[in-house]
Amino acid sequence: MRTLFAAILILSPLTSFAAPYPATSTSALTAPEKGLYFLHKGFSLKTDGSNWLPVALSEESILDTVRFADKNAPDAASLSVRTDRVAKNASLELYTRKWMRDYPSYGFEVLATKQFNLNGSPALIVDMLSRAKNKQIRQVVLKNEDKVAIMTCLDNKDTFSKSLQQCNQIIKTFSWVAPEEKPSLKK
């Protein structure tokens, strides 16, 4: 009995440092620089080489959005990543045309749009300006099958070009992950 009690006392401090649930706290799966943070949504996105980290949203996000910001200035520029589901046969152009018509009514001036390929996937860049709020925005929209990812970089007009460098560094790492490529946590 005495040895059992001694063994419990010796081993209990060793187990107290474990995460309460697997793949939480400092797991590689939750490290944004590794790019595995969004695997459950079907894509990867890395923050490696930037000072930007996910920041907590002030309230529950009904739009399934994750916001990234500079760890030294979390209330300044940001990059938000939102996902959506659409019909498989809906084109990227059709999806974006629907909401781009509404931008002027929300006070945004569309400066430019450009279609391009990002890591083998069709994508659309939309650059906008809100003169009333002195904000500049770049959205990058990607579609794969029935999923859409919308990445939005937002900052004050004066400092937008500097924060856009950080946003673009993260955006360039975006890639869709095929279901067979997703790592399995089961053994």
Side-chain angles (χ1 to χ4, degrees), residues 28-40 43-46 183:
L29 291 175
T30 60
E33 66 275 4
K34 304 277 188 211
L36 305 175
Y37 194 75
F38 291 104
L39 280 182
H40 67 287
F43 62 89
S44 69
L45 185 69
K46 300 175 186 173

Side-chain angles (χ1 to χ4, degrees), residues 108-176:
F108 295 109
E109 174 187 343
V110 176
L111 301 173
T113 62
K114 181 182 177 184
Q115 292 183 355
F116 72 109
N117 275 325
L118 179 61
N119 298 323
S121 296
L124 177 72
I125 289 179
V126 181
D127 286 321
M128 294 173 280
L129 183 62
S130 172
R131 295 190 194 282
K133 295 185 179 181
N134 196 35
K135 299 283 185 186
Q136 193 160 348
I137 299 167
R138 168 167 283 178
Q139 282 192 324
V140 177
V141 185
L142 297 108
K143 182 181 180 295
N144 182 35
E145 302 278 325
D146 64 341
K147 296 177 194 151
V148 175
I150 302 128
M151 296 177 280
T152 305
C153 187
L154 170 72
D155 197 4
N156 291 322
K157 186 180 176 206
D158 320 347
T159 54
F160 184 75
S161 61
K162 184 179 178 188
S163 59
L164 184 61
Q165 292 173 7
Q166 291 291 310
C167 285
N168 283 341
Q169 182 175 338
I170 297 169
I171 289 169
K172 286 177 187 175
T173 69
F174 181 97
S175 65
W176 293 108

